[in-house]
């Protein structure tokens, strides 16, 4: 698939979910490398930087995207010949895809330890990392049930209940606004994440913070399943994570909205759950309280923050 096709699919959400977006972007860099014939290292770098920029511009919230592109491009930029740059691009891309796939499996193993036999779970949206924990707990023979929200406006909850159904896990499909109604029946809420800030705040699908609030009130634990590349290094520098505002037509068709002169339709795709409503973040490196987000960025992500700032100048929209 061409770079442009991948970018389009990410934008239209045919490819969606933070982990999948990151892997698809890295795969697209590899594909782009195969289709170009640069005369020099400088030409190659220019081409690939442009390609990374196109991918980066697709969706602004999932930090897995810049993190994955950085993982590949930062090494490519250090190459001293065209051949070396191309070789490095391919090997770093493969390494990212491999480690990110393994990370999800590992999260499943670690996360399943926090799910007990007989638990009734709730999840929101469609997260590979969260589902990995649920599927692994089921594989281990734990009897669990899962409440899955519908996830307006794009109905990702349907993908989740299909996966649960295929695995033979009893599931309950509910509208988003029913989360608090059911919360007293829930033992554990488990969700994924698009980005985690240095202060442990978790950015995930719109509605997650309402569910977290309801869980907090009901004293139900909330676990976030997220690979370490979902942590946002630039939040150490005080940068806020941009919340994607999608087309209002996803919420209300233009022919209906058009007739409502005084009505504005809003469609933020993500929200921020403060660290105080998060009990545990399960990563491939282990389970941590959200307060340790700084250590994960520093020790496990291991990237030089100044270098990261220099190499990816992302738009600073919506800085509060
Ligand atoms: C997806 C979403 C998911 C996270 C984590 O939003 O909010 O919970 O991306 O997913 P969208 P994963 O559907 O708008 O992309 O664990 O698969 O990376």
């Amino acid at each position: 698939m061409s770079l442009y096709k991948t970018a389009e699919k990410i934008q239209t959400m045919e490819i969606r979910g933070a982990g999948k977006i990151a892997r698809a972007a890295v795969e697209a860099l590899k594909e782009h490398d195969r289709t170009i014939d640069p005369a020099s290292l400088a030409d190659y770098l220019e081409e690939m930087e442009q390609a990374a920029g196109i991918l980066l511009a697709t969706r602004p919230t999932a930090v897995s995207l810049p993190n994955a592109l950085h993982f590949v491009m930062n090494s490519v930029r250090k190459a001293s010949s065209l051949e070396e740059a191309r070789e490095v691009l391919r090997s770093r891309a493969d390494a990212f895809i491999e480690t990110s796939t393994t990370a999800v499996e590992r999260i499943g193993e670690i996360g399943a330890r926090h799910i007990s036999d007989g638990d009734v779970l709730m999840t929101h949206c469609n997260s590979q990392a969260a589902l990995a924990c649920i599927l692994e707990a089921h594989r281990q023979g734990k009897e669990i049930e899962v409440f899955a929200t519908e996830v307006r406006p794009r109905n990702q909850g349907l993908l989740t209940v299909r996966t649960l159904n295929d695995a033979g896990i009893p599931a309950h499909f509910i509208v988003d606004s029913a989360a608090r109604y059911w919360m007293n029946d829930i033992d554990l809420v488990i969700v994924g994440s698009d980005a985690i800030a240095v202060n442990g705040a978790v950015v995930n699908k719109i509605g997650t913070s309402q569910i977290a609030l309801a869980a907090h009130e009901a004293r139900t634990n909330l676990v976030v399943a997220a690979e370490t590349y979902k942590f946002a290094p630039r939040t150490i520098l005080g940068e806020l994570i941009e919340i994607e505002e999608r087309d209002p037509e996803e919420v209300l068709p233009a022919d209906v909205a058009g007739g409502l002169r005084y009505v504005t339709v809003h469609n933020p795709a993500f929200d921020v759950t403060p660290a105080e409503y998060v009990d545990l973040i399960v990563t491939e490196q282990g389970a941590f309280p959200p307060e340790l987000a700084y250590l994960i960025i520093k020790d496990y992500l291991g990237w030089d923050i100044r270098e990261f700032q220099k190499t990816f100048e992302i738009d600073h929209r919506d800085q509060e």
Side-chain angles (χ1 to χ4, degrees):
M1 200 184 348
S2 78
L3 169 84
Y4 300 98
K5 192 76 207 157
T6 303
E8 187 193 312
K9 284 190 173 193
I10 294 175
Q11 217 150 27
T12 57
M13 291 175 60
E14 207 174 312
I15 298 173
R16 49 144 302 280
K20 280 189 187 153
I21 290 171
R23 286 189 290 279
V26 161
E27 192 60 65
L29 281 184
K30 255 178 83 180
E31 181 53 32
H32 194 62
D33 164 80
R34 277 195 283 271
T35 59
I36 59 174
D37 188 19
S40 65
L41 175 61
D43 287 355
Y44 180 70
L45 290 178
E46 201 184 317
E47 270 281 348
M48 295 314 294
E49 294 290 0
Q50 259 179 28
I54 289 167
L55 293 162
L56 195 60
T58 52
R59 290 193 77 187
T61 302
V63 78
S64 52
L65 179 59
N67 279 354
L69 294 171
H70 175 79
F71 179 84
V72 176
M73 290 303 294
N74 198 37
S75 301
V76 172
R77 290 180 195 120
K78 290 175 184 154
S80 47
S81 70
L82 177 58
E83 293 66 35
E84 188 193 340
R86 300 194 86 158
E87 172 52 35
V88 167
L89 182 120
R90 288 172 211 142
S91 61
R92 291 291 279 184
D94 288 343
F96 180 83
I97 292 165
E98 160 94 33
T99 51
S100 98
T101 310
T102 319
V104 175
E105 286 164 21
R106 184 81 189 116
I107 286 170
E109 286 160 22
I110 299 171
R113 291 181 206 152
H114 298 274
I115 298 173
S116 306
D117 193 23
D119 270 358
V120 179
L121 311 173
M122 183 179 281
T123 190
H124 183 58
C125 202
N126 178 252
S127 156
Q128 283 196 309
L131 275 170
C133 305
I134 296 170
L135 293 170
E136 177 57 22
H138 173 72
R139 199 197 61 76
Q140 292 171 359
K142 293 175 186 167
E143 289 207 7
I144 51 174
E145 283 178 42
V146 184
F147 278 72
T149 47
E150 180 183 23
V151 191
R152 276 273 294 153
R154 296 293 296 253
N155 304 331
Q156 289 93 328
L158 191 54
L159 302 173
T160 297
V161 288
R162 281 205 178 110
T163 301
L164 295 170
N165 184 67
D166 289 349
I169 300 173
H172 307 264
F173 191 52
I174 59 170
V175 295
D176 301 318
S177 43
R180 184 164 178 258
Y181 178 89
W182 291 106
M183 194 52 79
N184 283 332
D185 297 334
I186 305 299
D187 298 298
L188 184 74
V189 176
I190 181 157
V191 293
S193 176
D194 283 80
I196 300 174
V198 65
N199 63 1
V202 170
V203 179
N204 191 47
K205 181 51 57 192
I206 189 80
T208 303
S209 68
Q210 283 179 184
I211 293 174
L213 203 57
H216 187 71
E217 179 200 41
R219 296 172 191 262
T220 301
N221 282 344
L222 183 138
V223 167
V224 174
E227 304 89 303
T228 47
Y229 58 81
K230 308 270 180 72
F231 286 74
R234 291 172 58 129
T235 56
I236 289 184
L237 304 164
E239 183 169 305
L240 296 175
I241 292 156
E242 185 184 333
I243 300 297
E244 178 182 12
E245 183 76 38
R246 292 187 65 83
D247 191 341
E249 268 220 64
E250 290 184 343
V251 177
L252 205 60
D255 55 339
V256 180
L260 303 169
R261 196 170 154 204
Y262 300 106
V263 176
T264 309
V265 181
H266 302 275
N267 189 15
F270 301 96
D271 66 17
V272 183
T273 299
E276 60 184 300
Y277 300 141
V278 177
D279 293 284
L280 206 62
I281 302 177
V282 177
T283 77
E284 74 278 14
Q285 301 290 348
F288 305 90
E291 290 75 20
L292 290 191
Y294 174 75
L295 277 189
I296 298 175
I297 294 176
K298 192 173 153 291
D299 291 353
Y300 292 104
L301 222 45
W303 293 334
D304 184 319
I305 302 301
R306 282 156 305 174
E307 191 176 63
F308 193 87
Q309 186 183 28
K310 228 176 18 209
T311 51
F312 268 112
E313 286 310 328
I314 304 167
D315 265 354
H316 288 231
R317 267 214 285 149
D318 287 348
Q319 300 300 295
E320 285 163 15

